[in-house]
Amino acid sequence: ALTAAAFQEMLDVCAACGVRLMDGTMFMHGRRYEALAALLGTSDAAITGAPARVYAPFSFNSDAAFLKTNIRVSPQGDPLGALGDLGWYSIRLGLIAFGWSRPESARARVLRSIDGVPTEVEATITMDSSRDTPRVLSIFCSFHRTFQQRFEICTDAERIISCDDFVLPYSERKPGPMVVRVSKGPSAYATIMDVRDEVLDLGADNQEANMWDSFAQLVAGAGASGGAWSAVSAGLTPEVAALRTQAVVDLVLSASRSDGDEVPFGSLPW
């Protein structure tokens, strides 16, 4: 689907036909994200704190053949380009971190495009401006930059949770660790002695295999209620999780066309 409205129409057809729509965002099924949800879901703010700012860039440097022939840069194929492809994962990561809360607004820029298809996009999405420290998701997605797929979640308890391979683990059998960096702050000039890293290495796991197990549960009528999905999705069905992600894609695309103005979330589906 190219819009949340079109996606909702797909869901309505699926419901009418008695079938399920399967969300293929594979990292949702990894043990790392089950651990992340547990970290961020703690009620003890002294442990990790609430997310205040999330930064999630995802990019790769494509070759000339990709930019000329790939469906992801074709107006007749996927006109959402890098935003609909790479940006989807960055947005989904942000929604997980912020507990699937509804965004307030966004500012965005298309930095590069091909035939009107955005191939490099940056966006700042305000999740909650009512706090002393506004909750913000920053994303960057590009088909033109060095390969990167990392996130940093800065919390209001002097923690930074980071991961260097948040979408595609560099090892199929053993995803990279998450690191929780703890500062003893508050300090304007933290020294090496003020900081320590706690490495969360969860061992062997295969998020793609887990995803197909979840799909099998959906087909069997059991729902994707087991494993990591249950913890990461906060009880949302795959259909609702995908709809909310698409709605934020819509928001960012609208903001990218507003000449730098901040665009409210408005009446997009949620």
Side-chain angles (χ1 to χ4, degrees), residues 47-174:
I47 298 176
T48 55
R53 178 173 287 273
V54 175
Y55 178 55
F58 188 14
S59 65
F60 63 85
N61 196 1
S62 54
D63 59 19
F66 177 98
L67 296 175
K68 186 175 181 180
T69 64
N70 194 275
I71 189 174
R72 287 173 283 182
V73 292
S74 167
Q76 291 75 40
D78 184 359
L80 295 177
L83 175 60
D85 179 23
L86 308 180
W88 177 279
Y89 296 95
S90 298
I91 288 168
R92 178 64 64 87
L93 182 278
L95 289 175
I96 293 170
F98 287 110
W100 297 91
S101 60
R102 180 180 179 274
E104 291 181 1
S105 60
R107 295 181 188 272
R109 292 195 302 162
V110 173
L111 303 175
R112 299 179 74 171
S113 63
I114 296 175
D115 295 331
V117 176
T119 55
E120 186 169 287
V121 179
E122 64 177 6
T124 301
I125 303 161
T126 300
M127 305 299 293
D128 183 356
S129 61
S130 66
R131 300 170 181 257
D132 292 339
T133 302
R135 306 317 194 194
V136 175
L137 165 62
S138 297
I139 69 167
F140 173 78
C141 49
S142 175
F143 293 148
H144 305 282
R145 304 297 176 183
T146 302
F147 182 52
Q148 60 175 331
Q149 48 162 352
R150 61 189 176 88
F151 71 68
E152 288 187 351
I153 301 172
C154 303
T155 79
D156 56 11
E158 304 295 335
R159 267 62 169 172
I160 296 176
I161 305 170
S162 63
C163 179
D164 287 335
D165 60 351
F166 87 91
V167 180
L168 302 168
Y170 291 131
S171 169
E172 283 187 10
R173 297 184 180 274
K174 189 174 184 296

Side-chain angles (χ1 to χ4, degrees), residues 28 224-236:
M28 291 284 292
S225 57
W229 177 275
S230 180
V232 176
S233 68
L236 299 180

